[in-house]
Amino acid sequence: QVQLVESGGGLVQAGGSLRLSCAASGRIFSINGMGWYRQAPGKQRELVAAITSGGSTNYADSVKGRFTISRDNAKNTVYLQMNSLKPEDTAVYYCNAELWVVSTGWDDYWGQGTQVTVSS
């Protein structure tokens, strides 16, 4: 069975930092794109940052310059370094990945989410 598990969320004051991680486990042959999404109460889920297998990155305008996405392919893990956090960053953050599962093929997977709360 394949799963994505996020960690690193929590409560932080405005201006602080958090580092989220998401580890994929299971019989994974390869990982293509990975990314982070977030969803605030009453709002649609939105893309925060994405990274390709080759390391190319994309960021939402609202986080550009403050957040950095990275990956460690040897560990099947993607990270989101979040600096200069603002109250509007408060949301549940979800990891997403395109995985090639052994004997199955490509599919899209989601983590269960981790809460990030930024106080003013």
Side-chain angles (χ1 to χ4, degrees), residues 1 14 19 24-25 48 58 68 70 76 81 84 88 107:
Q1 191 172 35
R19 186 176 180 86
S25 63
V48 177
N58 246 37
T68 302
S70 61
N76 290 342
Q81 179 66 47
S84 302
E88 52 262 44
D107 206 351

Side-chain angles (χ1 to χ4, degrees), residues 27 29 100-105:
R27 294 183 60 80
F29 177 77
W100 179 280
V101 179
V102 174
S103 299
T104 303

Side-chain angles (χ1 to χ4, degrees), residues 35-53:
W36 289 94
Y37 291 72
R38 67 186 181 188
Q39 187 168 21
K43 296 185 177 180
Q44 295 293 313
R45 187 174 299 185
E46 64 176 349
L47 175 68
V48 177
I51 185 167
T52 69
S53 60

Side-chain angles (χ1 to χ4, degrees), residues 4 13-14 18 21 24 36 40 47 50 57 69 83 93 97 108:
L4 302 177
Q13 292 184 345
L18 287 173
S21 64
W36 289 94
L47 175 68
T57 59
I69 188 170
N83 298 327
Y93 284 70
D108 191 64

Side-chain angles (χ1 to χ4, degrees), residues 19-114:
R19 186 176 180 86
L20 306 183
S21 64
C22 172
S25 63
R27 294 183 60 80
I28 301 168
F29 177 77
S30 184
I31 303 176
N32 194 17
M34 304 186 80
W36 289 94
Y37 291 72
R38 67 186 181 188
Q39 187 168 21
K43 296 185 177 180
Q44 295 293 313
R45 187 174 299 185
E46 64 176 349
L47 175 68
V48 177
I51 185 167
T52 69
S53 60
S56 297
T57 59
N58 246 37
Y59 298 92
D61 289 340
S62 59
V63 307
K64 193 174 182 64
R66 299 187 297 120
F67 292 8
T68 302
I69 188 170
S70 61
R71 62 192 290 169
D72 186 337
N73 292 330
K75 297 180 178 179
N76 290 342
T77 301
V78 63
Y79 304 93
L80 185 67
Q81 179 66 47
M82 309 165 67
N83 298 327
S84 302
L85 282 162
K86 304 175 180 179
E88 52 262 44
D89 295 318
T90 295
V92 177
Y93 284 70
Y94 297 90
C95 176
N96 174 262
E98 301 168 88
L99 308 179
W100 179 280
V101 179
V102 174
S103 299
T104 303
W106 287 109
D107 206 351
D108 191 64
Y109 293 84
W110 290 90
Q112 79 287 351
T114 185

